[in-house]
Every structure is written in C-alpha cells, then in structure tokens.
Amino acid sequence: MALRSEIQGAGLGLKRELIPQLMRQHGEPQLSALQFLEIAPENWLQAGGKYAAELDWFVQRYPMVCHGLCLSLGGPDPLNIAFLKQLKQFLKDFEIPLYTEHLSYCSDLSNGYIYDLLPIPFTHEAVKYVAQRIRQTQDILEQRIAVENTSFYVAAPMSDMDEISFINAVLTEANCDLHLDINNLYVNSVNFQFDPYAFLDQIPAERVVYGHLAGHWQAQPDLLVDTHGEAVIEPVWQLLTHAYRNLKIFPTLLERDSNIPALNEVMLEVKRIAQSQQSQLLTDANMLPEVA
C-alpha cells in the first residue's frame, strides 16, 4: 500500500481523454511538475481489460487519490455498504492510500441517485447525522477519510449556522480530515456574498490533506457555476496563495472535467500550482531565524 505522505506537490484529475497523452509523454520535461493523480472510483470499480491495465500503469508511476462522487454522506437513505466494501477492496488492489468524498448528498429514499451534489442544511442536527455516517465509513474502510467543501446555489432555510462553522463541527465530531476545494470556496463566496479569506482563516490547517483548484462559469456577476470546464481565474489563484501562506502548503490538484484542452495547455495550470508551492517554500525558508 502506498503512503498518504507520498501525496505531494501538484496533481491532475485523470480523465480518460488525457490518458493517451499522459502515457505517451511520461518522463518528458513537460510533465515534470505532475506529482500525483486522482480518479473517481465509481468510474473504475468495474473496469477490466484495457481500462484496468491502464489504471495499473498509472498506479505504478504516480501516487493516486480516490475522490468519490456517490456516497451521499448527507443523504436520508442508509449508506451503501456494498459499495463501501467494493471500494475497500479497490483501494487495496490498487494501493490507493486516500479516499475523499463530498460533504453533500446525491440520493434520497424515493428517487435513488439524483446525479447532482446537493447541500446539507447547516444545522447542529445535521452535524451529528453526517458525522455518524463518516465514522461508519471510516470503520468499514478501516482508514481515515477527508470530506470536501462543495459548491451550492440555494441555501437551506432551516440552517442555524454558517458554512465554515458547519464544516468545522463535522470535522471535529467525525474526527476526519478536510479536502479543501479553493474554487468551491470562491464560487460560494460570490453566490452568497461572504469573505473567502475570512473563511480560509477559520480552517484548521492540521485537517487539510489536499486541495482542489478549478475553473467555473460566470452566469451572472453574482452567480458562478462550478463547471470545471474553464481556466482558473486570478482571484482563485490569489486565494490559493493565501491558503498556502496562512494554513500551510498542501498537495493541490487541478480539476478539468469538461471542455478539456490538450495536455500541454492543462499542464500550464499544474505547473503554476507547483510554482506557487515553491514560491511559498522559499518565503517560509527566508523567514526562518538565523542559527548563531
């Protein structure tokens, strides 16, 4: 089994459109900034033949993270135990050391899977409910997981706390880690008019295991949609820099799920993540006190 400590630096979501280019260019200078990859396990659990061989090829060359889509941690229906058992074996088979999921829900008792990520009401009751399901997940997988802050577009009217208070309460109650999505934070800050920097400053740095960065679509000046189909904009890059400076440098991965350009163009943003991390490392080193 690979180690979570091997998840470092700048990463990229492994999309099937990029696989031939990644395999062909492996070892070449243009990929030197790429240090880890991420997959959605739901897209690979039943893979066999060519796809399983491709996944094995990447696992042999890059540390890998699994970022789930359908566990529905906040949903009203029971956790999908059969899926979790499949997932546990999948993580073991491919030696993937880290699994994260969205702090949201995507299913209900009457309609099954909704195929969208919906916000959990920010209530004390929901904290207890979700935390219990996270603990159950960790018990089945026999490993600690991380939950990701999600983007959303409608706030639940029954909420009795703000988003950052809800996230921190869940982290504490479930004793789990945080998968920090910088773009989701920015999208929500515009859609719901709050200060993303103040939000970041309330995050417990020791809980952050890795981060996401992505582009979004601006539907209106005060409405952003998290598409993962555009280039990362400057305010999001600035927010990442602030996170590195005020929290710590954490492994960070570029998500590009639609409108995917050529690998060389995608790698420009991966390289910028690595450059931002290196810049903060140099700043931190220059701030160390001199030894007499």
Side-chain angles (χ1 to χ4, degrees):
M1 175 71 77
L3 301 174
R4 283 176 61 161
S5 59
E6 295 174 16
I7 309 297
Q8 296 287 340
L12 177 64
L14 182 60
K15 308 303 294 183
R16 291 214 164 111
E17 295 90 334
L18 294 174
I19 285 176
Q21 298 172 77
L22 284 165
M23 296 177 81
R24 191 166 55 247
Q25 296 181 32
H26 177 69
E28 296 184 9
Q30 58 265 35
L31 297 189
S32 61
L34 182 59
Q35 292 185 261
F36 72 103
L37 296 169
E38 175 196 271
I39 59 170
E42 293 85 348
N43 295 333
W44 295 87
L45 273 173
Q46 303 298 330
K50 172 177 178 287
Y51 292 131
E54 287 177 343
L55 180 56
D56 191 59
W57 188 93
F58 282 104
V59 166
Q60 298 302 318
R61 289 161 178 81
Y62 292 98
M64 187 77 70
V65 177
C66 270
H67 181 48
L69 299 171
C70 71
L71 188 55
S72 198
L73 284 169
D77 45 338
L79 280 177
N80 188 337
I81 304 301
F83 166 75
L84 282 172
K85 289 180 177 177
Q86 278 187 305
L87 174 65
K88 182 179 180 180
Q89 189 62 48
F90 179 80
L91 297 173
K92 180 180 179 182
D93 289 345
F94 288 95
E95 300 189 343
I96 298 175
L98 179 58
Y99 170 70
T100 74
E101 245 294 355
H102 299 85
L103 191 53
S104 64
Y105 73 101
C106 60
S107 64
D108 65 25
L109 289 168
S110 57
N111 297 307
Y113 286 99
I114 302 170
Y115 299 106
D116 205 351
L117 300 174
L118 302 176
I120 303 167
F122 301 147
T123 67
H124 291 86
E125 182 181 7
V127 168
K128 300 287 186 185
Y129 177 76
V130 175
Q132 186 279 325
R133 289 162 68 90
I134 295 171
R135 290 196 301 270
Q136 184 182 1
T137 299
Q138 294 181 141
D139 288 344
I140 293 171
L141 296 181
E142 297 186 281
Q143 67 180 62
R144 195 177 173 100
I145 71 166
V147 292
E148 184 193 45
N149 57 302
T150 59
S151 57
F152 55 95
Y153 310 98
V154 178
M158 70 285 285
S159 294
D160 54 23
M161 61 177 72
D162 60 17
E163 183 184 3
I164 184 60
S165 299
F166 177 77
I167 291 172
N168 283 337
V170 169
L171 297 179
T172 300
E173 184 75 18
N175 194 22
C176 67
D177 290 321
L178 177 65
H179 177 177
L180 177 59
D181 192 308
I182 299 294
N183 181 61
N184 287 351
L185 167 56
Y186 180 78
V187 165
N188 287 354
S189 76
V190 172
N191 292 347
F192 297 98
Q193 299 294 300
F194 64 83
D195 180 356
Y197 291 89
F199 185 108
L200 270 182
D201 292 343
Q202 296 176 70
I203 288 175
E206 70 278 7
R207 297 273 187 180
V208 179
V209 289
Y210 83 112
H212 269 170
L213 206 64
H216 55 259
W217 174 55
Q218 182 168 345
Q220 298 176 23
D222 59 352
L223 176 59
L224 306 183
V225 180
D226 182 33
T227 59
H228 302 175
E230 309 291 337
V232 180
I233 66 170
E234 282 305 318
V236 176
W237 286 112
Q238 293 167 16
L239 206 53
L240 179 67
T241 300
H242 181 85
Y244 287 159
R245 182 170 57 241
N246 285 32
L247 294 172
K248 61 179 179 179
I249 300 170
F250 47 83
T252 306
L253 180 141
L254 177 73
E255 290 185 297
R256 190 66 184 251
D257 295 333
S258 62
N259 191 27
I260 300 174
L263 179 61
N264 288 348
E265 186 175 336
V266 173
M267 282 304 301
L268 293 177
E269 292 188 307
V270 176
K271 288 176 183 174
R272 184 165 174 181
I273 293 172
Q275 289 166 352
S276 181
Q277 292 169 336
Q278 287 299 315
S279 177
Q280 188 58 48
L281 272 176
L282 289 172
T283 300
D284 292 346
N286 289 333
M287 293 178 66
L288 290 174
E290 293 186 8
V291 178

